[in-house]
């Protein structure tokens, strides 16, 4: 099995740089607006896209993504819109995954969810509230549909547990840079590098860092030690701060261009 | 013996329970689990907790036979287990004293809690004051209004109360916000979970601290009547007072265990909090159980006049006991609960919590079904001082 995401990391590793991974919740700022954001991601230099499945009780998310998810849910976003956004991204040739809390998968049907990811050319799913101890039905379904199962680890994860979690991971390992929730911050936590170093001792799978990464400087710093740089809340802030969708999209494109420079500067 | 667990994986009750949380919390949950397991075998811990029960919270709580109330319940014998007489006014103190002692033993300086009706928040603030811990309580903004008295109590006790303005602004959202705090501050902080829901070990640990209710009541009822009750009734939101009184009776197969859920405007209206009666299996707040959800797996907002029952989830052990047929669940509407609330006030001189009034309304039904030769044990889980404003509005009493 080799997904477009797997192939991406093979390529970025050969180019000696980190991959830029961008997050947007499905249906945000609107269903059509989300497609415009995805187009901007693709045109401006994003390497991989995470489509968020908005959820009513997002305990891993800070206020920015909570509010975006809530607006999207009020507009009626569900599984259909998530897969539409995924199909839009993959049609542009960008390796893409869905990030979702566990209950929407269980409600949709575990095997069916994995099949729908595959049928929309998605590479895999990130499951931030599914510990590997409960994940057997999901990893089995992911395996059957030839998609990546991506788990999140944190600075508090012990070395023994890192081994256990990464053994179930494919595509990449999502390293949460700090103990906390999503959201743009002024700097990247110093815990991030220590965590990535510990992960690298137990697995050869690419490691991408998320939580609190929002600027070219952050991207450059993280790209110095990780295979991927994940940015989410900063794009939502850019869209929220703009007075129209068009100017929001322009701001997203400008931010992507900066971040794309950052991920290429890290190994300087 | 654990009569209700058949799964070899710790923290599972059949297909229910488990841990569905961010990896960041796994270490902390493991730590609490091993601290709890060690404490349960440590005579020093158990003696310290027993001493607090005896000299601080007022255990054992008494039982009261409600003869005048019983006249309205088909003449069945009605026995009330008086958790309302505990220090702070509800069963919540039982759990909180246990968890706060554990936090202190683990060297934590800060505790956080979620609260709906405010009873768990008040109990947590109380234990924090007693043990010299910093305490932050998350409470839905909606609940801070309908339970304003308890907000003041928490502040007087030195706790910080954080109103939660996201989502439905009730208990569900307070739990989300407490979880976010915990993910961020897990090194210094223990999360004192208030009910038998949430990720393992909370359902098991909270039950272990609440089962004293049923252990005492079983002995007390046997002494009073010479036999076991025909049915044990308790209200169910998350389900901690119900598990507390049910647990020691699970082995007594002839004793019916009946949980009364919040039916709100009626389960058929969709405006209710009757999770087992009207919900479906899924994952919420770290465990698989029943919940109120839509076709996309999004949590649906619950509705109840009672802040403490206004929760779209329920503890996984209840889901399991229901599935194997050992417990039964019924929905009680707001109107039925408020009728029983008023009736207990006027027939027994006891103002119950509105949560508890759901169990009393259930007793009126079950008593009529079983008739005058039957005995019902009701968990009077909390007192109603906090509810006087809601009750005054409901009954049109000018303030």
């Amino acid at each position: 099995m080799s997904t477009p995401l797997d192939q991406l990391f093979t390529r970025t590793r050969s180019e000696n740089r980190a991959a830029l991974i961008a997050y947007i919740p499905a249906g945000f700022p609107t269903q059509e607006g989300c497609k415009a954001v995805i187009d901007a991601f693709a045109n401006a230099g994003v390497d991989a896209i995470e489509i968020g499945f908005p959820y009513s009780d997002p305990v891993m998310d800070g206020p920015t993504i909570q509010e975006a998810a809530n607006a999207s849910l009020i507009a009626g976003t569900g599984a259909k819109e998530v897969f539409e956004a995924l199909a839009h991204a993959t049609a542009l040739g960008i390796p893409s995954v869905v990030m979702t809390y566990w209950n929407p998968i269980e409600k949709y049907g575990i095997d069916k969810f994995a099949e729908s990811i595959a049928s929309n050319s998605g590479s895999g799913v990130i499951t931030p509230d599914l510990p590997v101890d409960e994940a057997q039905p999901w990893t089995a379904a992911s395996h059957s549909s030839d998609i990546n199962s991506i788990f999140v680890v944190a600075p508090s994860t012990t070395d023994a547990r890192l081994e256990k979690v990464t053994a179930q991971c494919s595509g990449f390992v999502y390293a949460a840079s700090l103990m906390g929730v999503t959201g743009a911050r002024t700097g990247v936590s110093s815990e991030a590098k220590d965590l990535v170093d510990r992960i690298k001792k137990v697995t050869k799978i690419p490691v991408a860092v998320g939580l609190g990464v929002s600027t070219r400087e952050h991207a450059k710093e993280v790209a110095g030690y990780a295979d991927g740089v994940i940015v989410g809340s900063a794009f939502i802030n850019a869209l929220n701060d703009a007075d129209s969708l068009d100017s929001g999209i322009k701001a997203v494109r400008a931010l992507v261009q900066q971040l794309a420079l950052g991920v290429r500067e890290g190994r300087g | 013996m654990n009569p209700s667990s058949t799964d070899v994986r710790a923290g599972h009750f059949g297909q229910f329970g488990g841990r569905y949380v961010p990896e960041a919390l796994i270490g902390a949950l493991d730590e609490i689990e091993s601290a709890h397991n060690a404490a349960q075998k440590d005579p020093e811990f158990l003696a310290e907790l027993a001493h607090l029960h005896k000299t601080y919270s007022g255990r054992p709580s008494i039982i009261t036979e409600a003869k005048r109330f019983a006249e309205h319940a088909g003449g069945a014998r009605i026995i009330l287990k008086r958790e309302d007489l505990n220090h702070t006014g509800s069963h919540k103190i039982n759990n909180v004293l246990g968890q706060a002692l554990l936090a202190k033993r683990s060297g934590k300086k800060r505790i956080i809690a979620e609260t709906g009706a405010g009873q768990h928040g008040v109990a947590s603030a109380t234990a924090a004051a007693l043990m010299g811990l910093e305490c932050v309580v998350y409470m839905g903004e909606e609940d801070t209004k309908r339970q304003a008295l308890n907000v003041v109590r928490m502040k007087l006790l030195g706790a910080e109360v954080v109103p939660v303005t996201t989502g439905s602004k009730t208990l569900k959202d307070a739990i989300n916000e407490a979880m976010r705090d915990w993910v961020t501050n897990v090194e210094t902080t223990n999360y004192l979970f208030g009910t038998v829901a949430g990720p393992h070990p909370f359902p098991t640990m909270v039950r272990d601290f609440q089962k004293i209710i049923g252990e005492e009541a079983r002995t007390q009822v046997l002494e009073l009547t010479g036999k076991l009750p025909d049915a044990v009734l308790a209200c169910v939101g998350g389900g901690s007072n119900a598990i507390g009184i049910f647990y020691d009776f699970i082995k007594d197969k002839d004793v019916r265990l009946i949980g009364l859920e919040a039916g709100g405007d009626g389960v058929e209206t969709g405006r209710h909090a009757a999770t087992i009666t009207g919900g479906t299996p899924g994952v919420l707040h770290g465990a698989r159980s029943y919940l109120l959800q839509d076709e996309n797996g999004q949590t649906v907002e619950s509705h109840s006049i009672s802040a403490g029952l206004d929760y779209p989830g329920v503890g996984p052990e209840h889901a399991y006991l229901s599935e194997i047929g050992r417990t039964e669940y019924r929905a009680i509407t707001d109107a039925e609960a408020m009728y029983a609330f008023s009736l207990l006030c006027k027939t027994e001189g006891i103002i119950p919590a509105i949560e508890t009034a759901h169990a009393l309304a259930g007793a009126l039904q079950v008593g009529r079904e079983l008739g005058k030769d039957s005995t019902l044990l009701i968990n009077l889980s909390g007192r109603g001082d906090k509810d006087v404003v809601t009750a005054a509005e409901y009954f049109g009493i000018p303030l």
Side-chain angles (χ1 to χ4, degrees), chain A residues 38-111:
Chain A
I38 291 168
D39 291 340
F41 282 167
N43 297 334
V46 159
D47 295 303
I49 295 175
E50 277 178 28
I51 305 293
F53 194 139
Y55 178 54
S56 53
D57 296 276
V59 296
M60 268 302 282
D61 287 306
T64 305
I65 293 180
Q66 279 176 50
E67 282 159 26
N70 196 39
S72 178
L73 284 176
I74 289 169
T77 302
K80 179 173 161 282
E81 289 73 23
V82 171
F83 290 121
E84 252 178 57
L86 177 66
H88 186 82
T90 55
L92 299 170
I94 307 290
S96 299
V97 299
V98 166
M99 179 153 184
T100 180
Y101 289 87
W102 176 245
N103 198 49
I105 296 183
E106 190 164 308
K107 188 67 183 169
Y108 189 84
I110 296 172
D111 292 334

Side-chain angles (χ1 to χ4, degrees), chain A residues 17-18 20 44-46 219 255-265:
Chain A
R17 69 172 179 96
L20 174 61
V46 159
L255 179 57
V256 169
Q257 285 163 350
Q258 288 296 305
L259 294 164
L261 292 172
V263 298
R264 286 166 175 80
E265 294 164 342

Side-chain angles (χ1 to χ4, degrees), chain B residues 367-389:
Chain B
R368 284 168 200 155
E369 289 162 21
L370 297 184
K372 61 178 165 41
D373 293 329
S374 64
T375 302
L376 310 185
L377 171 66
I378 321 298
N379 195 2
L380 200 75
S381 54
R383 67 179 184 227
D385 308 40
K386 69 187 175 60
D387 292 317
V388 292
V389 174

